[in-house]
Amino acid sequence: MFTRAQLHRRRSHLARAWDLHVPAICDNRPSSAANMGVRTEIAASWERSAAHVMPEVHEAPLADAGETQHAWQASPLNTAVRQLESQLRAAADDGELVVAVTDPDARIMWTYGGAVMRRRAERVNFVPGGRWDEASVGTNALDLALRLDRAATVYSAEHFSSCVHGWVCWAAPVHDPATGRQLGVLDLSTTWDRSHPIGLATAEAMARLLGREVRATRVVAADAHDRAGSRCGLLELKLLGRPSAQLNGARLRLSRRQIEILALLALNSDGLDLAELHARLYGDRPVSQGTLKAEMSQLRAKLGGRLESRPYRIGLDVRCDVTDVLHRLRVGDVAGAVERYGGELLPGSESPTLAEFGHFVTVALRTALLSDPHPAAVQRYLELTPYDLDLLGSTSRARRPTSGQPE
């Protein structure tokens, strides 16, 4: 961990190097920035930047908002970001950061800023549509990570543009797991005095998570397409922890009962007739089938008519966090299953079938963790279930030295 004094000295040294060499580069005068300890890749980027922009540029140019939104909707990173959005937002809030995801040309497609960085980001157009390629705004971590195809840090006056000399940025490219091509970059930025050695590793880890989500999305989508044929539209259900539903990316306003109905239908893709659905939803409670029919009519309207009957079945492609967790457990990706696990299945549900299935999911996940108690995965699970003493004990045993090894 750097002290504030160390960071201040480093920033002052880079500012002197920038004052000496960037104006010289812009005036086509000889420069030897490397002699002042400026990294080779930064000095080379300063040279390239000077051919396109002036160091006094005060904000990034903005691309067309409509075209940016359309491109983001089509990007494979869109769904991946939505799946990890709670973690990305938490990282920004906890670390006083702004988190950004770009396309392969360093155009920002999605951002979220903590309280410290939100206004700073807006002032320099570090927002969706902002063009942060080298030719638009000069040396920066987003462009450098894409150009070098590896994680990159740009600190304070290493930036070509003076408008971000108060920043430190860590960026890592996100790759298509099937082809290896760059899909964009994940960037973490904060103020220079909050620089921390773990910043670059955190950006790399989050970029890997996004790549993994792209892969998982394709596997689940392919399975859904095989089952559903050429259905039009995607219904995304989050049933673990705090439930929600999205239709083609737009949040649906649903009652608790409607989400329970969708959960039962999503977990029974072949469909359920009225009597089966009624029994699984209400159990022995004295609720008439007419009440359920009215619920189904309202739900069909909210799904744009894409709710089939005889039997009842969702007429859309469905992505559900529960089935995703179980799929990952089946293929041995315990860490990925824990990452997607958001908590108990529809906590408080009075549906006997959902209560039983929720218990099954929890037991399956705990069993996998007890069999292979990877500390990071156990830690993530214990954040949601902090009183699970068996798993706490498994972590301790995993860390305990084996017999014959020094304590």
Side-chain angles (χ1 to χ4, degrees):
M1 178 68 181
F2 301 119
T3 66
R4 185 178 177 85
Q6 289 172 323
L7 292 172
H8 183 77
R9 285 195 296 271
R10 183 184 176 199
R11 184 173 189 247
S12 297
H13 177 80
L14 287 169
R16 288 195 300 272
W18 190 93
D19 288 339
L20 282 171
H21 296 286
V22 168
I25 292 169
C26 293
D27 293 341
N28 293 316
R29 290 184 279 115
S31 170
S32 54
N35 292 340
M36 287 192 68
V38 177
R39 290 181 290 148
T40 302
E41 62 266 33
I42 297 296
S45 178
W46 284 356
E47 296 276 357
R48 292 190 301 268
S49 300
H52 299 283
V53 294
M54 296 300 293
E56 296 81 16
V57 61
H58 61 278
E59 62 184 18
L62 286 172
D64 178 77
E67 198 278 327
T68 298
Q69 179 64 20
H70 178 77
W72 179 229
Q73 291 297 327
S75 171
L77 289 176
N78 187 322
T79 300
V81 166
R82 288 207 303 274
Q83 295 302 324
L84 295 174
E85 188 166 355
S86 61
Q87 293 96 307
L88 295 174
R89 287 174 176 263
D93 289 330
D94 294 344
E96 298 179 328
L97 305 161
V98 58
V99 183
V101 176
T102 78
D103 68 5
D105 297 318
R107 173 180 51 170
I108 294 178
M109 310 299 283
W110 178 91
T111 62
Y112 177 79
V116 170
M117 290 300 295
R118 189 176 299 119
R119 289 185 181 178
R120 288 180 173 88
E122 291 171 353
R123 282 198 295 266
V124 296
N125 283 343
F126 200 83
V127 295
R131 292 192 173 276
W132 284 80
D133 56 286
E134 199 174 69
S136 294
V137 77
T139 308
N140 67 87
L142 296 81
D143 182 277
L144 204 58
L146 290 168
R147 186 179 297 274
L148 301 176
D149 199 27
R150 58 176 171 80
T153 302
V154 176
Y155 179 77
S156 186
E158 288 182 328
H159 290 93
F160 184 79
S161 171
S162 58
C163 71
V164 281
H165 279 189
W167 292 37
V168 57
C169 304
W170 305 281
V174 182
H175 295 98
D176 186 317
T179 65
R181 73 182 178 90
Q182 291 178 343
L183 297 175
V185 72
L186 182 285
D187 177 90
L188 305 176
S189 297
T190 188
T191 55
W192 66 272
D193 54 328
R194 291 182 174 85
S195 183
H196 194 287
I198 203 173
L200 191 63
T202 302
E204 289 181 292
M206 287 186 169
R208 285 194 298 270
L209 283 175
L210 284 176
R212 192 167 71 185
E213 283 299 328
V214 170
R215 181 193 299 115
T217 298
R218 286 178 176 164
V219 169
V220 174
D223 289 346
H225 187 270
D226 289 343
R227 292 193 302 268
S230 58
R231 292 176 178 175
C232 179
L234 174 65
L235 177 66
E236 297 176 89
L237 297 176
K238 183 179 182 299
L239 305 176
L240 297 168
R242 189 173 182 177
S244 63
Q246 290 187 335
L247 177 58
N248 295 330
R251 190 179 184 89
L252 292 174
R253 290 185 173 274
L254 301 177
S255 69
R256 176 70 177 214
R257 188 73 65 228
Q258 289 167 341
I259 289 183
E260 289 178 330
I261 292 170
L262 289 178
L264 288 168
L265 295 178
L267 298 173
N268 295 272
S269 57
D270 290 335
L272 297 170
D273 64 28
L274 181 64
E276 290 174 321
L277 181 57
H278 186 278
R280 298 186 188 202
L281 182 63
Y282 297 109
D284 296 331
R285 282 176 289 156
V287 179
S288 71
Q289 290 191 352
T291 297
L292 178 55
K293 286 182 178 180
E295 290 277 15
M296 300 306 287
S297 177
Q298 294 175 22
L299 187 55
R300 181 179 289 108
K302 292 188 176 183
L303 295 180
R306 306 298 292 179
L307 183 62
E308 301 170 7
S309 57
R310 299 181 183 177
Y312 285 114
R313 190 163 42 201
I314 300 171
L316 297 155
D317 288 336
V318 178
R319 179 167 187 188
C320 177
D321 55 355
V322 180
T323 54
D324 194 7
V325 167
L326 294 176
H327 168 76
R328 291 174 189 241
L329 289 177
R330 285 196 298 271
V331 300
D333 181 13
V334 179
V338 173
E339 194 66 42
R340 288 286 283 124
Y341 183 75
E344 183 184 348
L345 174 65
L346 292 179
S349 173
E350 295 181 324
S351 161
T353 299
L354 290 175
E356 181 181 355
F357 194 79
H359 178 70
F360 165 76
V361 173
T362 301
V363 169
L365 189 60
R366 288 187 74 260
T367 300
L369 283 170
L370 287 167
S371 299
D372 181 18
H374 189 279
V378 172
Q379 177 65 34
R380 164 67 178 158
Y381 181 79
L382 289 175
E383 290 173 1
L384 301 168
T385 57
Y387 305 112
D388 195 324
L389 299 181
D390 288 340
L391 277 171
L392 279 171
S394 74
T395 306
S396 300
R397 290 191 296 273
R399 292 174 175 173
R400 189 177 302 152
T402 58
S403 178
Q405 292 181 330
E407 293 286 344

